Amino acid sequence: MKWKKLVTLGCVVVMTVSSVTACGSNTTENQTVEATEQSEENQSDSVIVQVTAVDGDQITADVGTLTTASADASGNGAPGGEAPGGDAPSGEAPGGDDSGNGAPGGEAPGGDAPSGDNSGNGAPGGEAPSGEAPSGEAPSGDAPGGQMPGGSSFEASGESITFTLTDDTAITLEYLQGSGEGTADDIAVGSVLEVVLDEDNQAVSVTVRNLNAGGGFGGSSEVTNGTSANTITEDTEVDGETYTSTGDDENALRVDGAAVTLKDITIEKTAGASSNTEDGDFYGQNAGLLVLNGATATITGATVNTSVTNGNGVFSYGEGTVVNISDSTIRTTENNSGGIQTTGGGTMNTTNLDVETQGNSAAAIRSDRGGGMVNVDGGSYVTNGTGSPAIYCTADISVSDATLTANASEGVVVEGKNSVALTDCDVTGNMSNTYNGDSDENIHCIMIYQSMSGDADVGEATFSAEGGSITAKTGDMFYITNTDCEITLKDVAFTLANDVFLRVEGNSSSRGWGTEGANGGDVTLTADSQEFTGNILVDEISSMVLTMKNGTSYEGAINPDGDGGTVDVTLDDNSTWTLTGDSYITSFDGDTSNITANGYHLYVNGEQVL
């Protein structure tokens, strides 16, 4: 049973860690943080432990110290020598070169290394946590092949302790950047904890340490938008103007706090380096067009071209900022350069856009830290780089009547407590590999996860699709890890690349996506008037509630190997399930006459019912 969410109490003791910028310019020496031994005289001190056993609310652990990873001058602090920064999961190495690859914050999962984006995201396979993750862009932070610069390792002292969790224990999760509330389910064998105990050996507070945290990706602690070659600060209408930029950290055009109508304008951002890809991902530095400070920009018939790192085409930043753009063409060619980008609570409304990106960590519809609202009606959205899903979501994104194509990444990635709603869209994902060829990474078309980068709130993600089609050219159709999510499907035409429709499982935590052994997924899947095929796999640290209703037809097996987590299935009288293998579930609500055994068996809570 899930423990109730607990509000973090008190202050978290901050351990000193080494810092490495995305460019890898800083060198630090190994630093050891000694764990303070619990004593009767000083019960308020914290102790660093690594869990060896979990028995209900009793935790047994080795006491020890944390030692930070050494970072050499090249910025290689990760075991594999890669800097956390850039693209992530499926594609580029986070290395941190001038192109923006290797920065923490981008997109991750599908292509770029999940730890490559500069955004600081530790995303799965695409955009980096900070922005896009799963498919290739670096989750903004994590370095896929190993520990990120500034990461830490646990060294046991030989002492062991046992303590008790209570309903009053404050549990905190340490992210790659920042922290948030957690539950007892986040504590597993292998977890490294910082614990404060009372005189009865009960845990007053527990911080689940993220050993990849603390590297710092070089992003500014305050909003850094850079400069602009052209700025509009007064309400006005503009027709047929051309705006250019070749300067570093410079927008071609900025709309600042004004209500502006832009018709048939041309934006050309042809040169100019980005000094920090996180500032570009988060705040619009070096973008073609940046709208901010509560401005409203209404744009029709625009042509936007960028050929620089962080050259996001059209960027909406900040609460109260609104971009309305229609009948326009956007092209970006370099890394960390989305087509439309929304962060900091901004709003983006689009109609009939033609968007194509070439770089890594360059989702066509992209959001990053602070999220916002994105509404897309019609148009074509195409990506060609790794870690560049058609949609990378850390916001509330709704898309209707659009074509969404990712040629080297997942089709859609949702990170954290955010949502994607598709209506009559045609989605294609083609995630060719994972960052650095990591064999632990999954290949998939749609990914829902939590990177723990701090760029997306922890909570239930939502994904819905009605009408249209979703095509996976490689890998599984859905992959869920380290998060709770709700998926609703209605009358969608699915084309699978393999025999897995849905995979819900934990991950190795090499990129900081939770704690290995406690970072599975919890999924509620509702299929309404839906035909679908393929196996559903739910591992032992994950769960699923599956409801099939209103004429849904499912052909597949659930956990055919017999091992797995809790799976509850409801099948209404108008829906059917045809087995393609033995299936093992925890509970079944429905009439077994609606199940076609097809020569296989259904086991419910260990008992054969078919």
Side-chain angles (χ1 to χ4, degrees):
M1 174 179 293
K2 289 281 186 184
W3 283 49
K4 66 178 182 180
K5 295 284 183 179
L6 298 169
V7 178
T8 303
L9 303 175
C11 298
V12 176
V13 177
V14 178
M15 313 305 288
T16 303
V17 294
S18 63
S19 177
V20 178
T21 66
C23 295
S25 59
N26 292 346
T27 301
T28 61
E29 299 178 353
N30 284 346
Q31 299 174 348
T32 300
V33 182
E34 298 294 339
T36 304
E37 296 183 1
Q38 187 69 25
S39 67
E40 294 181 1
E41 294 77 20
N42 191 0
Q43 295 293 338
S44 63
D45 287 343
S46 64
V47 59
I48 300 296
V49 302
Q50 185 169 42
V51 178
T52 57
V54 177
D55 183 9
D57 58 3
Q58 298 293 312
I59 308 295
T60 302
D62 291 333
V63 177
T65 61
L66 288 180
T67 301
T68 61
S70 175
D72 62 27
S74 69
N76 298 330
E82 285 158 354
D87 293 50
S90 75
E92 276 197 1
D97 61 20
D98 285 343
S99 69
N101 296 332
E107 297 160 45
D112 280 15
S115 85
D117 227 56
N118 242 311
S119 28
N121 300 321
E127 296 203 346
S130 114
E132 300 156 52
S135 76
E137 303 198 352
S140 185
D142 272 49
Q147 199 165 286
M148 301 174 47
S152 304
S153 61
F154 177 83
E155 296 182 4
S157 66
E159 179 185 354
S160 178
I161 62 171
T162 297
F163 59 90
T164 304
L165 301 176
T166 73
D167 286 346
D168 295 323
T169 302
I171 300 177
T172 300
L173 299 177
E174 183 178 50
Y175 301 153
L176 294 174
Q177 298 178 335
S179 61
E181 66 181 35
T183 74
D185 284 342
D186 296 307
I187 299 172
V189 172
S191 297
V192 174
L193 313 176
E194 183 174 347
V195 185
V196 175
L197 304 176
D198 64 17
E199 63 276 7
D200 297 322
N201 226 33
Q202 295 181 332
V204 175
S205 65
V206 174
T207 298
V208 181
R209 298 298 300 269
N210 187 324
L211 299 190
N212 287 333
F217 306 110
S220 302
S221 58
E222 57 186 40
V223 176
T224 304
N225 305 116
T227 61
S228 183
N230 304 278
T231 302
I232 299 174
T233 58
E234 301 291 335
D235 296 356
T236 189
E237 296 185 7
V238 176
D239 191 345
E241 291 291 327
T242 296
Y243 301 95
T244 64
S245 167
T246 59
D248 296 348
D249 296 334
E250 181 182 71
N251 307 128
L253 175 62
R254 180 176 297 181
V255 178
D256 189 347
V260 176
T261 298
L262 305 171
K263 182 179 180 182
D264 297 330
I265 65 167
T266 298
I267 300 287
E268 297 285 347
K269 173 66 177 172
T270 58
S274 174
S275 62
N276 185 288
T277 51
E278 279 201 328
D279 289 340
D281 292 339
F282 297 162
Y283 311 125
Q285 180 175 282
N286 225 39
L289 169 58
L290 172 61
V291 183
L292 75 171
N293 291 331
T296 297
T298 300
I299 307 162
T300 58
T303 299
V304 179
N305 297 308
T306 74
S307 55
V308 297
T309 298
N310 278 144
N312 292 287
V314 177
F315 201 118
S316 176
Y317 173 75
E319 297 283 350
T321 298
V322 178
V323 173
N324 303 307
I325 179 170
S326 63
D327 302 309
S328 298
T329 299
I330 300 173
R331 296 287 186 269
T332 74
T333 64
E334 299 303 316
N335 296 336
N336 296 82
S337 299
I340 55 172
Q341 172 91 328
T342 306
T343 70
T347 297
M348 178 80 67
N349 300 312
T350 81
T351 303
N352 194 32
L353 297 189
D354 178 359
V355 175
E356 185 167 0
T357 73
Q358 300 295 332
N360 301 319
S361 299
I365 300 169
R366 192 178 190 219
S367 63
D368 211 311
R369 183 162 294 185
M373 184 77 69
V374 181
N375 302 298
V376 174
D377 183 10
S380 172
Y381 296 81
V382 178
T383 68
N384 295 289
T386 58
S388 302
I391 300 174
Y392 187 89
C393 172
T394 60
D396 292 322
I397 298 178
S398 63
V399 184
S400 61
D401 300 302
T403 300
L404 307 164
T405 305
N407 288 317
S409 179
E410 304 96 331
V412 178
V413 174
V414 184
E415 180 182 354
K417 191 179 179 180
N418 293 293
S419 66
V420 166
L422 305 178
T423 304
D424 295 327
C425 292
D426 293 321
V427 179
T428 301
N430 188 21
M431 182 179 176
S432 57
N433 63 4
T434 60
Y435 172 73
N436 214 26
D438 184 356
S439 61
D440 290 334
E441 266 314 303
N442 196 58
I443 302 293
H444 43 267
C445 181
I446 297 173
M447 178 178 189
I448 304 173
Y449 82 115
Q450 171 55 257
S451 74
M452 311 306 292
S453 67
D455 295 326
D457 289 343
V458 173
E460 186 176 70
T462 61
F463 175 90
S464 66
E466 180 173 356
S469 66
I470 301 178
T471 299
K473 290 195 171 182
T474 56
D476 304 336
M477 180 59 69
F478 287 91
Y479 173 53
I480 290 85
T481 189
N482 197 39
T483 195
D484 298 345
C485 73
E486 181 176 350
I487 300 171
T488 303
L489 306 173
K490 184 174 183 180
D491 196 27
V492 181
F494 286 102
T495 301
L496 276 64
N498 62 21
D499 63 356
V500 177
F501 181 78
L502 172 66
R503 184 184 300 272
V504 188
E505 66 181 19
N507 63 82
S508 68
S509 76
S510 62
R511 292 194 193 114
W513 305 341
T515 300
E516 185 174 9
N519 56 9
D522 296 301
V523 177
T524 299
L525 170 59
T526 301
D528 183 354
S529 306
Q530 180 65 57
E531 293 184 7
F532 65 112
T533 63
N535 292 340
I536 294 174
L537 308 177
V538 181
D539 74 1
E540 63 277 3
I541 59 171
S542 301
S543 68
M544 182 183 69
V545 175
L546 170 61
T547 299
M548 295 178 278
K549 64 182 184 179
N550 296 331
T552 287
S553 172
Y554 170 47
E555 184 175 339
I558 298 177
N559 282 347
D561 292 335
D563 297 324
T566 300
V567 178
D568 300 316
V569 176
T570 297
L571 185 68
D572 79 1
D573 291 341
N574 298 316
S575 299
T576 61
W577 177 10
T578 300
L579 301 182
T580 59
D582 291 343
S583 296
Y584 295 81
I585 63 178
T586 308
S587 71
F588 177 74
D589 182 4
D591 190 336
T592 57
S593 67
N594 283 19
I595 301 176
T596 300
N598 205 24
Y600 299 103
H601 300 291
L602 173 64
Y603 298 87
V604 178
N605 203 24
E607 179 181 349
Q608 181 181 325
V609 298
L610 277 180

